[in-house]
């Protein structure tokens, strides 16, 4: 946290030097002394201080200055720093102006020039005022501040990215907070959101995630041109494989298009993972796994999407969206699955503006005391509903079938939660809203009744699809896109067509030697954290066999 500022303004250089010297001698250790020679320049400087979220403790301002008097300056300055203490430096002739301004700008004190000796005439006054300021001031948040609106998708994506990377930030809603609005107007006149203010004074306006990742110090570039193993995806499967690969000294790179943790990272509480009887949140599990992998020397790239995998003799080449190519011997596809999106008019436009896919964690706080909806009846939807009920006034869960399909412990918890209502046999048929979600139209398919409901937000958890597109032309996949591996590739006990090795594919090896699959992207997986972790660990053991035979 930077030191609070004592601002002193005087157009007479000799007076300014002398005030500065006296202030620095007494307060320099705890405060930053800022001497400025004109009111207008000082106002510009104040804006910069505000953008950097620095705080001003006290203004010590000469009354008689050309262009802008001390009182005129203070009238503007206290709009920006209303808590700062105000002292006017006056000559005898200006006493009346000082007295008049006591009410006008709630002047704390007026000090007659000359103020010497400062030990008698300056410091006692300032000591008292600064003590009082310290007692009352709410020190500003000194971390990253994200200013935006609830209806801006990019604002949601930035918040989600920071949350998923466990990087603390303060959210400033410019529609609710006039100071935040002013702060944004101070750096851009365009309607580009979010605007991100960093403690070092740097500002990013609607950045892409890679730019943001670089700014917050995340790794986005591979350090080496070649790795033994490249893992695409950093959910539980990818991170488990990475921990084992790193622990055994293999050069291993993990590529992640968003943030580590995958779907599990968005779970408020995983209660069925072995060894955590009270449950563990997805971000806690992720934080532990990421530190474990990094401790073993694994590199993890954030905000980098793999776009293609190619085979060149014994090498496997992974291409990234930014054109980078990374070469390795073995690739693990641990790209998991992502939620289906709603296919209905208006849904795309309202995504991130009231409609969220599995993002209960990031946005729940914004819907305190509001009525929200959850779509879906499986485990992830049930967890989302329970988490949201801690903030929302009411959570209505829409399910197509007669009952929820979530695990018993989750259904039991929902049944005793007074804030959650389940609407079964219910189809979502329309979403409505100008800038943000306002209403949804639902239909009870048993009674054939259509109903319009006010909705502040809707969190959608309607089944997942495997993220295998980047290899769908290279390896064999099921009709739904799940990657076949090991025994699932065998037909009449024979390996698939085009298989070049004498041995059969390993248990988690795809139809291309050296390319493996684990977790939710693999055909036949059980969509559980523990299975993904187990498969990741086994995949590494098999990749090790593969590397040994090269
Ligand atoms: C809200 C929620 C709650 C859940 N709760 C539980 C629970 O309590 N218990 C339980 O056992 N299971 C739970 N699950 C299921 C569990 O989280 C998944 O089965 C598990 O995360 C699958 O792990 P994975 O590593 O295979 O894939 P994922 O977790 O899906 O991770 C895949 C990763 O790959 C990345 N990726 C994809 N494509 C690319 C690309 N081209 N380039 C770079 N990166 C890419 C993705 O961004 C993602 O981070 C829950 C799921 C959700 C959504």
């Amino acid at each position: 946290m930077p030191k609070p500022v004592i601002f002193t303004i005087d157009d007479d250089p000799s007076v300014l030097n002398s005030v500065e010297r006296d202030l620095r001698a007494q307060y320099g250790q705890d405060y930053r002394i800022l001497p400025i020679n004109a009111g207008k320049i000082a106002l510009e400087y104040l804006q910069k201080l505000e953008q950097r979220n620095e705080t001003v403790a006290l203004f010590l301002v000469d009354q008689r200055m050309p262009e802008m008097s001390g009182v005129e300056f203070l009238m503007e300055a206290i709009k920006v720093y209303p808590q700062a203490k105000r002292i006017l430096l006056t000559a005898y002739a200006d006493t009346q102006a000082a007295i008049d301004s006591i009410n006008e700008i709630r002047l704390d004190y007026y000090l007659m020039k000359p103020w010497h000796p400062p030990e008698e005439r300056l410091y006692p006054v300032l000591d008292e005022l600064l003590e009082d300021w310290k007692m009352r001031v709410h020190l500003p948040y000194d971390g990253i501040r994200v200013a935006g609106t609830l209806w801006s998708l990019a604002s949601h994506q930035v918040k989600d990215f920071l949350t998923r990377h466990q990087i603390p930030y303060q959210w400033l809603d410019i529609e609710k907070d006039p100071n935040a609005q002013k702060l944004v107007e101070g750096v851009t006149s365009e309607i580009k959101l979010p605007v991100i203010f960093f403690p070092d004074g740097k500002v990013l306006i609607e950045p892409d995630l890679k730019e943001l990742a670089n700014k917050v110090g995340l790794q986005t570039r591979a350090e080496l041109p070649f790795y033994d193993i490249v893992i695409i995806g950093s959910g539980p499967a990818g991170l488990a494989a990475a921990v084992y690969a790193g622990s055994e000294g293999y050069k291993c790179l993990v590529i992640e298009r968003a943030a580590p943790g995958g779907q599990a990272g968005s779970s408020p509480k995983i209660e069925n993972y072995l060894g955590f009887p009270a449950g563990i949140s997805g971000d806690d599990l992720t934080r532990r796994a990421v530190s474990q992998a990094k401790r073993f020397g694994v590199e993890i790239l954030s905000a980098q999407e793999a776009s293609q995998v190619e085979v060149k003799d014994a090498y496997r080449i992974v291409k990234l969206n930014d054109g980078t190519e990374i070469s390795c011997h073995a690739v693990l596809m641990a790209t998991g699955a992502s939620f289906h999106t709603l296919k209905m008019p208006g849904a795309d436009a309202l995504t991130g503006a009231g409609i969220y896919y599995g993002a209960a964690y990031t946005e729940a706080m914004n819907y305190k005391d509001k009525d929200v909806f959850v779509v879906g009846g499986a485990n992830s939807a049930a967890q989302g509903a329970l988490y949201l009920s801690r903030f929302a006034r009411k959570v209505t869960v829409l399910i197509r079938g007669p009952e929820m399909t979530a695990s018993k412990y989750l259904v039991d918890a929902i049944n005793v939660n007074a804030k959650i209502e389940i609407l079964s046999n219910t189809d979502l048929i329309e979403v409505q809203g100008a800038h943000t979600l306002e209403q949804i139209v639902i239909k009870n398919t048993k009674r054939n009744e259509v109903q319009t409901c006010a909705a502040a937000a809707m969190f959608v958890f309607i089944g997942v699809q495997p993220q295998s597109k980047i290899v769908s032309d290279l390896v064999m996949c099921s009709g739904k896109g799940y990657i076949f591996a090991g025994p699932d590739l065998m037909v009449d006990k024979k390996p698939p067509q085009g298989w070049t090795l004498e041995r059969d594919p390993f248990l988690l090896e795809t139809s291309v030697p050296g390319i493996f699959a684990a977790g939710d992207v693999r055909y036949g997986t059980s969509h559980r954290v523990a299975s993904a972790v187990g498969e990741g660990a086994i995949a590494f053991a098999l990749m090790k066999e593969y590397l040994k035979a090269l």
Side-chain angles (χ1 to χ4, degrees):
M1 180 93 192
K3 291 181 195 173
V5 173
I6 294 181
F7 232 91
T8 177
I9 308 165
D10 203 306
D11 62 308
D12 181 336
S14 63
V15 178
L16 190 61
N17 280 343
S18 157
V19 183
E20 181 192 354
R21 194 190 48 236
D22 287 346
L23 290 175
R24 218 176 274 289
Q26 181 74 357
Y27 303 106
Q29 201 161 341
D30 300 323
Y31 295 86
R32 185 150 78 95
I33 313 300
L34 257 180
I36 292 191
N37 63 4
K40 284 204 169 136
I41 302 173
L43 283 180
E44 283 166 19
Y45 210 92
L46 270 190
Q47 273 214 336
K48 287 196 186 121
L49 289 181
E50 193 196 13
Q51 278 162 20
R52 292 205 294 261
N53 222 15
E54 289 193 45
T55 182
V56 175
L58 186 138
F59 295 107
L60 178 56
V61 187
D62 184 31
Q63 164 61 5
R64 190 167 291 220
M65 294 187 289
E67 287 191 348
M68 183 177 258
S69 72
V71 172
E72 283 165 344
F73 166 80
L74 283 171
M75 272 161 102
E76 293 306 311
I78 59 174
K79 290 180 190 160
V80 189
Y81 285 101
Q83 291 178 315
K85 297 290 176 187
R86 306 119 206 218
I87 304 182
L88 264 189
L89 259 184
T90 59
Y92 184 73
D94 299 322
T95 315
Q96 193 53 45
I99 293 169
D100 291 346
S101 61
I102 290 179
N103 284 337
E104 209 176 344
I105 53 166
R106 288 190 288 113
L107 190 71
D108 291 294
Y109 202 85
Y110 65 91
L111 197 69
M112 294 276 223
K113 294 182 199 172
W115 58 88
H116 286 103
E119 289 76 11
E120 276 176 33
R121 302 197 48 209
L122 181 69
Y123 300 153
V125 175
L126 263 66
D127 283 349
E128 197 179 314
L129 288 176
L130 289 171
E131 252 339 283
D132 190 48
W133 176 81
K134 273 196 274 183
M135 300 269 290
R136 291 167 198 273
V137 72
H138 305 293
L139 285 178
Y141 177 75
D142 65 343
I144 298 170
R145 291 166 301 153
V146 180
T149 62
L150 266 189
W151 49 262
S152 131
L153 174 60
S155 301
H156 164 64
Q157 285 167 336
V158 162
K159 283 189 283 173
D160 200 46
F161 185 79
L162 293 173
T163 306
R164 298 285 301 270
H165 277 96
Q166 288 148 39
I167 297 172
Y169 65 89
Q170 186 185 43
W171 166 242
L172 307 174
D173 188 331
I174 62 167
E175 288 180 329
K176 291 191 184 141
D177 177 352
N179 286 336
Q181 167 94 41
K182 250 179 48 201
L183 200 60
V184 166
E185 283 166 2
V187 292
T188 174
S189 51
E190 294 174 86
I191 311 174
K192 280 192 168 178
L193 296 171
V195 178
I196 309 172
F197 299 88
F198 293 89
D200 64 358
K202 176 121 185 141
V203 177
L204 290 183
I205 300 170
E206 205 184 15
D208 66 24
L209 293 184
K210 197 165 150 210
E211 195 183 357
L212 176 60
N214 282 327
K215 175 67 192 138
V216 295
L218 297 168
Q219 186 179 352
T220 59
R221 295 209 147 266
E223 277 175 12
L224 308 173
F226 176 85
Y227 291 84
D228 300 314
I229 293 171
V230 167
I231 298 168
I232 308 176
S234 67
L239 289 174
V243 166
Y244 286 103
S247 69
E248 299 208 16
Y250 287 84
K251 279 186 276 181
C252 176
L253 175 76
V254 180
I255 299 164
E256 171 54 55
R257 70 178 169 197
Q263 296 167 78
S266 67
S267 168
K269 202 172 191 190
I270 300 163
E271 293 191 70
N272 54 1
Y273 186 55
L274 185 74
F276 296 92
I280 180 164
S281 70
D283 61 359
D284 197 4
L285 188 66
T286 303
R287 187 177 46 76
R288 289 160 187 254
V290 167
S291 0
Q292 209 171 359
K294 286 190 174 166
R295 198 189 119 218
F296 288 129
V298 174
E299 286 176 50
I300 302 178
L301 306 188
S302 288
Q304 275 287 18
E305 182 160 7
S307 54
Q308 210 182 344
V309 180
E310 278 180 5
V311 175
K312 270 190 196 152
D313 308 318
Y315 301 102
R316 306 289 172 261
I317 317 292
V318 180
K319 292 188 174 173
L320 305 187
N321 255 0
D322 67 357
T324 315
E325 293 192 3
I326 296 155
S327 174
C328 62
H329 276 317
V331 169
L332 175 63
M333 284 293 295
T335 44
S338 68
F339 284 108
H340 285 294
T341 50
L342 293 171
K343 304 277 177 274
M344 59 185 58
D348 282 352
L350 294 174
T351 297
I355 298 182
Y356 304 101
Y357 293 94
Y361 230 176
T362 315
E363 298 293 345
M365 281 289 280
N366 292 318
Y367 295 98
K368 199 164 180 299
D369 301 327
K370 305 248 167 75
D371 292 349
V372 303
F373 286 77
V374 165
V375 190
N379 280 355
S380 49
Q383 276 183 16
L386 286 165
Y387 185 70
L388 288 160
S389 72
R390 288 161 53 180
F391 308 94
R393 185 173 57 184
K394 184 178 175 196
V395 182
T396 308
V397 183
L398 308 178
I399 50 174
R400 282 195 131 159
E403 54 198 21
M404 295 197 78
T405 54
S407 301
K408 184 175 176 304
Y409 73 94
L410 290 168
V411 176
D412 288 348
I414 283 189
N415 285 340
V416 295
N417 188 317
K419 280 192 179 176
I420 304 180
E421 183 187 9
I422 296 175
L423 295 185
S424 50
N425 302 306
T426 301
D427 274 0
L428 173 73
I429 52 179
E430 210 178 316
V431 292
Q432 299 169 348
H435 299 297
T436 53
L437 181 70
E438 288 163 19
Q439 309 187 117
I440 60 169
V441 183
I442 55 176
K443 180 179 177 182
N444 182 300
T445 46
K446 257 194 153 172
R447 297 196 298 269
N448 215 13
E449 273 170 19
V450 174
Q451 192 189 343
T452 301
C453 317
M458 188 168 67
F459 296 83
V460 183
F461 303 84
I462 50 169
V464 289
Q465 55 192 351
Q467 298 297 291
S468 59
K469 214 173 79 205
I470 60 168
V471 290
S472 58
D473 293 338
L474 185 66
V475 305
M476 286 175 64
C477 296
S478 74
K480 287 189 172 168
Y482 287 98
I483 300 177
F484 286 127
D488 294 322
L489 291 163
M490 306 294 280
V491 179
D492 296 332
K493 296 191 178 163
K494 289 199 190 102
Q497 251 192 351
W499 180 256
T500 50
L501 304 181
E502 281 189 9
R503 63 166 175 83
D504 290 345
F506 289 133
L507 184 68
L508 296 178
E509 198 171 21
T510 69
S511 56
V512 174
I515 301 181
F516 294 76
D520 276 16
V521 75
R522 189 185 66 82
Y523 179 80
T525 189
S526 64
H527 296 282
R528 287 284 183 274
V529 175
S531 5
V533 168
E535 288 182 30
I538 298 169
F540 164 68
L542 299 170
M543 287 192 281
K544 194 170 148 186
E545 286 299 303
Y546 174 82
L547 294 173
K548 263 198 232 156
L550 282 178

